[in-house]
């Protein structure tokens, strides 16, 4: 009787392990990528610093040094999006941002576009340095960039950046 209970318990725990399965493969190795990086590069040939934050929950954020200036001809929000691991030392991210004409004395400014961008980030083996490339498209303010249909692209942009991880000394 005791052996039968032990066998049933073993079967129960074995089934539980099988049903739970392996940890999600997308979680494997994520911790190496997580961090904040300071990069410098160019976007459309304009020298640009960019702060990149890669979060454990899958959130990806960038803050561009030129985003609230008229150097790009427009002002735009932080890029906010998601990321996933695509290789041993590589991730891909997709982000949204909103662009606007800058305010002037005679105009408060206005939203001029909704943008979507693809980021490819490659890390050194010790995950202390990154190379980032980005390219994106903007659409009219009434167009969802996830599904623009046949809406015309109002602007395109691209850039490449190199940087280092922020570490607490």
């Amino acid at each position: 009787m005791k052996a039968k209970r032990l066998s049933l318990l073993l079967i129960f725990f074995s089934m539980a392990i099988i049903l739970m399965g392996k940890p999600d493969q997308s979680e494997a190795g994520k911790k190496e990528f997580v961090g904040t990086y300071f990069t410098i590069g160019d976007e459309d040939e304009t020298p640009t610093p960019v702060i990149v934050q890669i979060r454990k929950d899958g959130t990806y954020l960038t803050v561009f040094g030129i985003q609230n200036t008229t150097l790009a001809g427009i002002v735009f929000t932080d890029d906010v999006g998601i990321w996933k691991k695509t290789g041993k030392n590589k991730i891909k991210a997709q982000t949204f941002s909103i662009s606007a004409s800058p305010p002037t004395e005679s105009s408060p400014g206005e939203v001029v576009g909704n943008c979507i961008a693809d980021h490819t980030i490659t890390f050194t083996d010790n995950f202390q340095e990154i190379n980032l490339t980005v390219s994106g498209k903007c659409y009219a303010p009434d167009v969802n960039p996830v599904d623009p249909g046949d809406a015309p692209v109002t602007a395109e942009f691209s850039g490449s950046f190199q940087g280092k991880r922020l570490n607490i000394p």
Side-chain angles (χ1 to χ4, degrees):
M1 186 73 159
K2 206 173 197 179
K4 190 174 182 179
R5 272 193 241 167
L6 188 58
S7 294
L8 285 173
L9 250 144
L10 213 70
I11 291 170
F12 173 76
F13 283 116
S14 297
M15 289 301 291
I17 290 169
I18 290 169
L19 291 174
M20 286 177 14
K22 292 189 222 175
D24 182 354
Q25 291 298 326
S26 65
E27 292 295 318
K30 272 190 169 183
K31 68 181 180 194
E32 291 91 354
F33 300 106
V34 173
T36 301
Y37 300 82
F38 188 87
T39 69
I40 297 177
D42 71 87
E43 182 163 341
D44 295 329
E45 300 181 16
T46 302
T48 307
V50 178
I51 298 169
V52 176
Q53 189 170 72
I54 303 165
R55 296 182 179 173
K56 184 178 178 182
D57 69 357
T59 303
Y60 178 89
L61 303 167
T62 60
V63 179
F64 285 76
I66 64 169
Q67 71 189 44
N68 291 315
T69 72
T70 55
L71 291 174
I74 56 170
V75 294
F76 53 96
T77 63
D78 296 349
D79 281 10
V80 179
I82 57 172
W83 67 276
K84 71 177 184 176
K85 180 179 175 180
T86 58
K88 178 183 173 210
N89 290 36
K90 197 173 196 177
I91 66 172
K92 179 181 179 182
Q94 192 166 59
T95 60
F96 297 119
S97 63
I98 300 166
S99 55
S101 61
T104 64
E105 285 185 30
S106 59
S107 168
E110 65 180 323
V111 173
V112 296
N114 299 322
C115 306
I116 191 165
D118 293 311
H119 303 245
T120 301
I121 305 92
T122 306
F123 298 79
T124 56
D125 284 338
N126 65 1
F127 293 89
Q128 295 301 305
E129 297 180 26
I130 62 172
N131 286 306
L132 162 68
T133 58
V134 61
S135 62
K137 296 178 180 181
C138 298
Y139 300 90
D142 62 343
V143 175
N144 186 332
V146 174
D147 185 17
D150 59 357
V153 173
T154 59
E156 294 186 59
F157 55 92
S158 64
S160 62
F161 308 87
Q162 296 73 43
K164 294 187 181 228
R165 180 189 289 262
L166 177 64
N167 289 301
I168 297 174

